[in-house]
Amino acid sequence: GRATLEVVAHNLNVHPRALQRQLAMENHSFGGLLNDIRRELARTYLANSARSLTSVAADLGYAKQSALSRWFA
């Protein structure tokens, strides 16, 4: 499924705002952490497999390969 603040907070059994506050106390944001994870996954997927960029983009939640290419560049 999609990684949203609400879904992650639900899985952690906390309110979304409480998760945001805790992340802020650690000098992080949900969006920033999500981007870091996506970037690392993209590197891993592209370095260790024969998967296409289109497949990697879809797995990371991008509608088009071009969006991943622009973001990752």
Side-chain angles (χ1 to χ4, degrees), residues 27-57:
N27 294 317
H28 294 293
S29 70
F30 182 80
L33 291 174
L34 183 60
N35 283 337
D36 291 347
I37 291 166
R38 280 182 168 170
R39 186 173 292 113
E40 190 59 35
L41 285 172
R43 285 187 182 124
T44 300
Y45 290 162
L46 294 171
N48 299 322
S49 71
R51 295 174 60 190
S52 70
L53 190 55
T54 302
S55 171
V56 171

Side-chain angles (χ1 to χ4, degrees), residues 58-73:
D59 286 349
L60 295 177
Y62 292 95
K64 296 183 180 182
Q65 168 192 330
S66 60
L68 174 64
S69 297
R70 281 191 305 274
W71 173 79
F72 200 75

